[in-house]
Amino acid sequence: LFQRKLEQFDRIEGYIPNDRNSLYQRAIANVCLGDPTMAIGDPVGAQGSLVRAYVYHRPDCHKKYRIQSGDWLKRGLSKKQMRVS
C-alpha cells in the first residue's frame, strides 16, 4: 500500500525517479510536527516531534521569499483570510 501511495504522490508532483530533469525532486527529511488538530486523518505523533518524511522540492527554485504558513495555496492570503478558510 505504501509503495502505491508513494507512486501516486510522485505522479501528482511530477516526480520521475532517477530523472534529474523532473520538475520536483524527492528527498527524505526530518520534519517537526505542527498542531495535531490540523492533521488530515490520524496524527502521526505529538506536536513538536521530529519524524522522517518524504518531501518534494525544486532545487532550482528562487528562495528569497519564504512562505511563512508553509502552505503554498495560502501564500497570498492575509492572516484574517487564512483563519476563515
Side-chain angles (χ1 to χ4, degrees):
L1 177 65
F2 179 81
Q3 187 61 38
R4 282 198 325 248
K5 289 293 185 182
L6 188 58
E7 290 168 0
Q8 181 182 17
F9 296 138
D10 288 348
R11 282 191 302 276
I12 290 168
E13 297 297 345
Y15 171 70
I16 302 167
N18 303 315
D19 183 348
R20 298 189 84 148
N21 294 317
S22 287
L23 180 60
Y24 291 96
Q25 295 297 306
R26 183 179 70 202
I28 297 174
N30 291 320
V31 298
C32 182
L33 297 177
D35 181 352
T37 64
M38 302 296 289
I40 298 172
D42 295 330
V44 296
Q47 183 171 356
S49 298
L50 288 178
V51 297
R52 292 178 58 78
Y54 284 104
V55 295
Y56 294 90
H57 61 96
R58 289 188 55 195
D60 61 341
C61 73
H62 183 65
K63 297 175 184 164
K64 182 177 179 182
Y65 301 103
R66 182 179 178 147
I67 300 170
Q68 293 299 323
S69 70
D71 187 332
W72 173 256
L73 296 177
K74 294 180 180 177
R75 69 192 179 282
L77 301 178
S78 68
K79 287 182 182 180
K80 182 178 178 181
Q81 289 172 310
M82 285 196 296
R83 273 188 251 119
V84 172
S85 54

